[in-house]
Amino acid sequence: MAVDGAASSSSTIVTTTTEKLEEPALIKTYMRAILEPDEERVLSLFTTDGYLREPSGSRYKHIGSQERKAFYNSALRTGGITLHHATATFDGKSFAVEYVCDQWGKTTFAPQAGMAVYEFADTDHLRAVRIYDDVTPPEQAAS
């Protein structure tokens, strides 16, 4: 529904887990980079002033290259992050996707659901990544 309550005829694509999920190239590149892990590649996908917001809220918002670098260095230190995408929607500017995470680095665990929203600046760069999940990084889970 549009903000005024009228039906909207947007070009939003919605898929379910039974349909083939065709992700934008930028998302495929980001997913490959956090899986491998390739920290430099991940960082290169953001605009200069882009940010990543962790599930705990705006207090954990990493703005700019140095803050993002510190976040991804810590997050990818033990290895790549495996995310299995499910239902998604894409309006040409933001890609929102539900996912299941069951491996982070060498640590496997019971599947945990989450969601992420990727805001595009253009076809090659992210303005923002907002993560919503309860997945605990392996080094925090061990303590």
Side-chain angles (χ1 to χ4, degrees):
M1 298 289 275
V3 175
D4 63 4
S8 171
S9 61
S10 71
S11 61
T12 302
I13 301 169
V14 178
T15 63
T16 65
T17 55
T18 58
E19 299 174 9
K20 174 140 175 59
L21 177 64
E22 188 57 43
E23 298 173 340
L26 179 57
I27 298 303
K28 289 179 184 178
T29 302
Y30 179 86
M31 289 301 119
R32 209 170 25 254
I34 66 166
L35 177 62
E36 289 178 354
D38 184 344
E39 180 185 337
E40 291 306 314
R41 182 70 178 139
V42 172
L43 296 171
S44 75
L45 299 175
F46 282 87
T47 58
T48 305
D49 60 345
Y51 70 89
L52 174 127
R53 193 190 66 78
E54 294 185 63
S56 298
S58 59
R59 202 170 120 203
Y60 298 93
K61 187 174 179 180
H62 307 280
I63 303 171
S65 60
Q66 292 305 313
E67 289 186 29
R68 286 191 317 271
K69 183 176 179 79
F71 171 82
Y72 283 107
N73 180 271
S74 175
L76 300 175
R77 181 178 311 136
T78 62
I81 303 168
T82 303
L83 300 179
H84 307 281
H85 286 175
T87 304
T89 185
F90 182 57
D91 66 3
K93 296 180 182 177
S94 295
F95 181 78
V97 63
E98 295 173 319
Y99 62 81
V100 173
C101 182
D102 59 4
Q103 184 170 356
W104 192 327
K106 294 179 182 171
T107 304
T108 57
F109 41 84
Q112 297 188 37
M115 180 183 174
V117 178
Y118 303 90
E119 185 180 326
F120 286 41
D122 54 49
T123 57
D124 297 322
H125 297 96
L126 295 165
R127 180 180 331 277
V129 172
R130 294 183 295 278
I131 303 168
Y132 307 92
D133 66 25
D134 283 333
V135 179
T136 304
E139 53 197 32
Q140 290 179 13
S143 45

